[in-house]
């Protein structure tokens, strides 16, 4: 089989590269020529014409079939946005006035405020940052979107560099009589265009009588961490909201150990994790959820065998915080769940206030029920937008309303 031949040929090349000698150069050249011939044969097979080739823009463009994808770039040469539309032959370029230094300054100020928010009200100062983010980044993009996209449509943000640290979805003038972005469009995020395409692939269909296999995982007393007093109430509230719509499994305390959680992820389509999130900004694969018997790391998540994952809600701190030095790598707990197969994920940009989570999740799951009375993972972005803009949650601190983000389909 060609697959076996390809594996064997790459092994021969690797062996030759690690075997110095007078004829090494000639051997490697000959093996590479043979590999090129083999790759040509593979590309002649149905569906493999692009084998080992970079994707065409026309292929990547499919990421925008349900709404534009906005790639926001920051570099030493300037900042700009590229808007990918399904019906345009090329991305639309939008220059931004902000500099990379300005983006770094905004992210630094935001980080300081989110820490201060644990002990004081930072609403006014956060509003200043959201207005600056609107004026210098989001408003020019929205001005273009309004020429091609109806209000309340979905959009996807694909930030790079320091933009990954900023809540683009929450930008707005925050002035009386003016609309913020959340009032105009439904925002989601994606780490890459291909990740979004993959999230929409092979979407399952269920009979009208099917009930979602749903697991709620709670760990209020992880070793070495502060107790989370609202975990039990949060999971109980979810169970009540989805009663009759899902087969709900509830594990907490000693039962929420690494082996059990990995098992439950494998057989449930929906998962709600309520626990501590532990980001590791120097070694992202060691970022983890704190469970009863230790850390459930990204590395361990990547080894889970998932049958049909649809939706994951990560009610934990810092689940979209990645590598400190390689911001473009977008490896964090939320993206790990997406790469593991979950088509739709709710994550958090900074520390979650345990006292507020139950208010938000309860309303969120109300909004996850579609017009046919069924749970629908494709409603997650809309449900989050509706939840966090509802007047009934106006008493939730501003920093806690804008830290939630949606990734995926």
């Amino acid at each position: 089989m060609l697959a076996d031949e390809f594996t064997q040929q790459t092994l021969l090349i690797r062996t030759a590269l690690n075997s110095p000698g007078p004829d090494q150069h000639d051997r490697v050249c000959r093996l590479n020529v043979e590999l090129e011939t083999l790759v040509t044969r593979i590309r002649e097979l149905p569906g493999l014409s692009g084998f080992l080739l970079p994707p065409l823009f026309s292929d990547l463009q499919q990421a925008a079939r349900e709404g534009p994808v906005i790639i926001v770039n920051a570099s030493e040469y300037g900042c700009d946005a590229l808007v990918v539309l399904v019906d345009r032959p090329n991305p639309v370029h939008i220059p931004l006035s902000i500099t990379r230094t300005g983006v770094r300054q905004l992210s630094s100020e935001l980080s300081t405020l989110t820490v201060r928010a644990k002990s004081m009200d930072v609403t006014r100062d956060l509003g200043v940052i959201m207005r600056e983010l609107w004026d210098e980044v989001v408003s020019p993009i929205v001005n273009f979107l309004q020429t091609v996209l109806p209000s309340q449509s979905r959009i996807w943000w694909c930030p790079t560099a320091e933009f990954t640290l900023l809540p683009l979805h929450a930008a707005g003038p925050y002035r009386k009589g003016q609309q913020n972005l959340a009032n105009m469009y439904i925002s989601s995020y994606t780490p890459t265009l291909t990740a979004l395409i993959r999230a929409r692939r092979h979407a399952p269909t269920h009979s009208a009588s099917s009930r979602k296999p749903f697991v709620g995982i709670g760990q209020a007393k992880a070793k070495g961490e502060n107790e989370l007093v609202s975990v039990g109430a949060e999971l109980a509230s979810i169970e009540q909201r989805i009663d009759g719509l899902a087969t709900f499994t509830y594990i907490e305390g000693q039962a929420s150990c690494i082996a059990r959680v990995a098992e439950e992820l494998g057989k449930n389509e929906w998962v709600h994790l309520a626990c501590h999130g532990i980001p590791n900004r120097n070694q992202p694969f060691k970022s983890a959820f704190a469970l009863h018997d230790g850390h459930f790391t990204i590395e361990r998540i990547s080894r889970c065998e998932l049958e049909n994952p649809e939706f994951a809600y990560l009610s934990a701190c810092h689940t979209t915080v990645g590598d400190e030095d390689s911001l473009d790598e977008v490896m964090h707990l939320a993206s790990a769940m997406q790469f593991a197969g979950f088509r739709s994920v709710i994550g958090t940009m900074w520390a979650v206030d345990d006292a507020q989570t139950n208010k938000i999740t309860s309303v969120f799951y109300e909004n996850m029920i579609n017009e046919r009375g069924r749970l629908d993972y494709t409603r997650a972005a809309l449900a989050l937008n509706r939840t966090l803009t509802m007047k009934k949650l106006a008493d939730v601190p501003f920093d806690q309303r804008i830290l939630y983000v949606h990734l995926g389909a």
Side-chain angles (χ1 to χ4, degrees), residues 106-124:
L106 274 181
S107 65
S108 176
E109 292 173 3
L110 178 66
S111 177
T112 300
L113 284 178
T114 57
V115 172
R116 285 171 49 199
K118 299 175 184 178
S119 58
M120 61 184 296
D121 184 0
V122 297
T123 299
R124 183 173 180 178

Side-chain angles (χ1 to χ4, degrees), residues 22 50 54 69 97 108 159 167 175 194 250 277 285 289 294 302 340-341 351 361 371 398:
V69 180
S97 60
S108 176
R175 299 183 184 96
T194 51
Y250 179 168
F285 275 89
F289 298 107
S302 70
T361 55
E371 60 278 359
F398 186 46

Side-chain angles (χ1 to χ4, degrees), residues 4 6 156 176 181 193 221 233 236 257 265 299 303 385 387:
D4 294 333
F6 179 81
W156 278 263
K176 188 174 181 180
L181 178 64
L193 295 175
K221 299 180 180 179
C257 58
L265 287 185
E299 188 277 330
R303 292 190 282 115
N385 178 277
T387 299

Side-chain angles (χ1 to χ4, degrees), residues 228-382:
L228 301 173
V229 297
S230 298
V231 167
E234 183 177 341
L235 295 181
S237 174
I238 295 168
E239 183 175 22
Q240 181 182 7
R241 294 294 178 192
I242 64 170
D243 184 40
L245 302 175
T247 305
F248 191 74
T249 303
Y250 179 168
I251 61 174
E252 192 183 8
Q254 294 185 11
S256 63
C257 58
I258 294 171
R260 175 73 186 280
V261 169
E263 177 187 353
E264 294 294 342
L265 287 185
K267 62 187 182 183
N268 283 276
E269 295 180 10
W270 285 41
V271 58
H272 185 100
L273 271 158
C275 59
H276 280 287
I278 314 293
N280 188 320
R281 301 208 64 186
N282 297 314
Q283 296 177 287
F285 275 89
K286 292 186 177 180
S287 294
F289 298 107
L291 300 181
H292 172 69
D293 58 347
H295 287 179
F296 188 45
T297 64
I298 286 178
E299 188 277 330
R300 183 64 183 87
I301 292 169
S302 70
R303 292 190 282 115
C304 290
E305 296 182 5
L306 310 183
E307 290 182 12
N308 189 26
E310 280 191 354
F311 175 71
Y313 189 121
L314 311 182
S315 185
C317 299
H318 306 291
T319 57
T320 64
V321 174
D323 193 311
E324 188 170 25
D325 297 320
S326 303
L327 296 172
D328 288 331
E329 292 300 321
V330 288
M331 181 49 64
H332 44 63
L333 289 166
S335 64
M337 296 294 278
Q338 189 178 13
F339 292 139
F342 285 95
R343 297 173 175 87
S344 182
V345 180
I346 299 295
T348 56
M349 297 192 74
W350 50 81
V352 176
D353 183 350
D354 182 45
Q356 305 296 333
T357 55
N358 191 29
K359 301 176 187 176
I360 293 169
T361 55
S362 177
V363 177
F364 172 82
Y365 282 104
E366 282 183 10
N367 285 303
M368 286 294 279
I369 302 170
N370 65 20
E371 60 278 359
R372 293 178 293 170
R374 292 168 55 187
L375 290 172
D376 182 357
Y377 76 90
T378 65
R379 287 178 60 87
L382 175 62

